[in-house]
């Protein structure tokens, strides 16, 4: 399946899942608040249900959501630890230097420079923080390569451990094709960034911006979840054979 067809299929899936189905859309918005429910709904999408699954069997969906949360947290743990490792030394240095009790706003530029010069450990801690954060970004990218397939694999097998079956994940990426896989990750990453940037435009509305942002986010996030989740399914299924004309062998569905 081509990139364009994957995006078109995902958009159609999301549209059919909510458009004209206002009760279903409302329930999805409510499930955002009890967030394991929306995660459990994502698990059902990951299992390949088409059209978008109905909201039912809430208990099972809640449990599936907790399992997906566990898988996601395990994947995120190295990044969380790196972020903590980046900020804790800086915070410790600020406390030990007495910076928390200094009124920097009342200082002139010259006084600020003099204070920083007399506390070189602050600059050193800031430099260390940026280096560790850069490492965290790199680790996040690497983890995303595995987690994108791993979370769907968990949903398909029902086993948390299969979400971390790295040999099988690597084998599946190999069948999809590394260039194809990296390309689809970049595409969905760009779409995600653009989505949130456009959404945050509402937060700049004077006085009520934050409230408008929250309301709009709750409204549009459910169809976006359907879109991204369906896209992940199509990527996962890229290595599966597609139907071939009679007399010809099937060929992998990688484009």
């Amino acid at each position: 399946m081509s990139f364009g067809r994957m995006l078109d299929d995902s958009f159609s899936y999301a549209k059919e899942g909510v458009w004209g189905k206002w009760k279903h859309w409302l329930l999805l918005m409510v499930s955002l608040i009890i967030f394991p429910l929306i995660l459990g709904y994502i698990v059902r999408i990951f299992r390949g249900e088409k059209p978008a699954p109905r909201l039912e069997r809430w208990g099972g969906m809640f449990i599936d959501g907790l399992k997906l949360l566990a898988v996601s947290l395990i994947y995120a743990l190295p990044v969380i630890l790196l972020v903590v490792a980046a900020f804790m030394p800086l915070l410790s240095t600020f406390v030990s230097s007495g910076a928390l009790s200094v009124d920097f706003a009342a200082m002139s530029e010259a006084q600020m420079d003099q204070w920083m010069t007399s506390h070189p450990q602050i600059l050193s801690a800031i430099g260390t923080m940026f280096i560790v954060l850069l490492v965290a970004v790199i680790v996040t990218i690497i983890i995303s390569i595995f987690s994108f397939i791993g979370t769907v694999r968990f949903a398909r097998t029902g086993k948390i451990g299969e979400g971390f079956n790295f040999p099988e994940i690597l084998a599946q990426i190999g069948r999809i094709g590394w260039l194809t896989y990296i390309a689809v990750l970049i595409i969905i990453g760009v779409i995600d960034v653009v989505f949130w940037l456009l959404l945050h435009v509402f937060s700049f509305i004077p006085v009520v911006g934050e409230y408008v942002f929250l309301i709009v986010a709750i409204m549009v996030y459910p169809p976006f979840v359907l879109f991204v989740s369906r896209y992940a399914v199509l990527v996962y299924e890229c290595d599966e054979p597609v139907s071939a004309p009679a007399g010809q062998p099937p060929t992998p569905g990688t484009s």
Side-chain angles (χ1 to χ4, degrees):
M1 182 178 289
S2 67
F3 299 145
R5 287 178 60 192
M6 291 172 66
L7 293 173
D8 183 64
D9 183 296
S10 302
F11 179 80
S12 298
Y13 186 90
K15 181 180 177 182
E16 292 170 4
V18 296
W19 195 254
K21 302 176 181 178
W22 310 116
K23 181 180 178 180
H24 187 257
W25 197 340
L26 179 61
L27 288 174
L28 284 173
M29 287 189 280
V30 171
S31 70
L32 289 173
I33 300 172
I34 313 174
F35 67 92
L37 290 176
I38 194 67
L39 294 177
Y41 188 76
I42 291 173
V43 170
R44 292 183 179 176
I45 298 175
F46 281 171
R47 288 172 181 160
E49 294 189 28
K50 187 179 181 181
R54 298 176 59 184
L55 285 161
E56 54 188 6
R57 304 190 305 276
W58 293 87
M61 192 163 66
F62 188 85
I63 297 300
D64 285 340
L66 290 178
K67 291 179 179 178
L68 179 57
L69 177 62
V71 172
S72 300
L73 285 177
I74 293 172
Y75 269 116
L77 187 59
V79 178
I80 294 173
L81 293 176
L82 282 170
V83 171
V84 172
F87 284 98
M88 285 303 294
L90 179 62
L91 179 60
S92 176
T93 303
F94 262 89
V95 172
S96 62
S97 66
L100 296 180
S101 60
V102 176
D103 185 7
F104 290 103
M107 286 185 175
S108 65
E109 185 176 345
Q111 289 174 324
M112 178 76 75
D113 290 340
Q114 183 178 3
W115 191 91
M116 292 299 293
T117 301
S118 62
H119 295 82
Q121 69 272 27
I122 296 289
L123 292 177
S124 177
I126 292 175
T128 300
M129 179 192 70
F130 280 111
I131 292 173
V132 177
L133 287 178
L134 178 60
V135 173
V137 170
I138 295 172
V139 170
T140 300
I141 294 172
I142 295 172
I143 288 175
S144 298
I145 292 174
F146 291 93
S147 64
F148 198 74
I149 289 290
T151 50
V152 182
R153 183 176 178 83
F154 145 71
R156 293 293 177 96
T157 62
K159 300 177 181 178
I160 291 178
E162 284 299 313
F164 306 95
N165 190 336
F166 299 118
E168 285 298 322
I169 292 173
L170 286 171
Q172 186 158 3
I173 295 173
R175 291 190 295 269
I176 294 171
W178 276 95
L179 290 179
T180 298
Y181 185 64
I182 296 300
V184 296
L185 289 186
I186 291 173
I187 289 171
I188 199 61
V190 170
I191 290 174
D192 188 57
V193 169
V194 171
F195 172 79
W196 285 108
L197 286 177
L198 291 176
L199 198 57
H200 274 83
V201 169
F202 292 98
S203 65
F204 293 104
I205 298 176
V207 184
V208 296
E210 294 299 325
Y211 301 101
V212 174
F213 165 77
L214 182 61
I215 293 171
V216 174
I218 292 174
M219 291 178 62
V220 301
Y221 193 63
F224 186 69
V225 165
L226 267 69
F227 172 84
V228 174
S229 301
R230 176 61 183 172
Y231 185 86
V233 168
L234 295 175
V235 174
Y236 184 87
E237 295 175 348
C238 271
D239 71 314
E240 296 183 358
V242 298
S243 299
Q248 295 184 16
T251 55
T254 56
S255 317

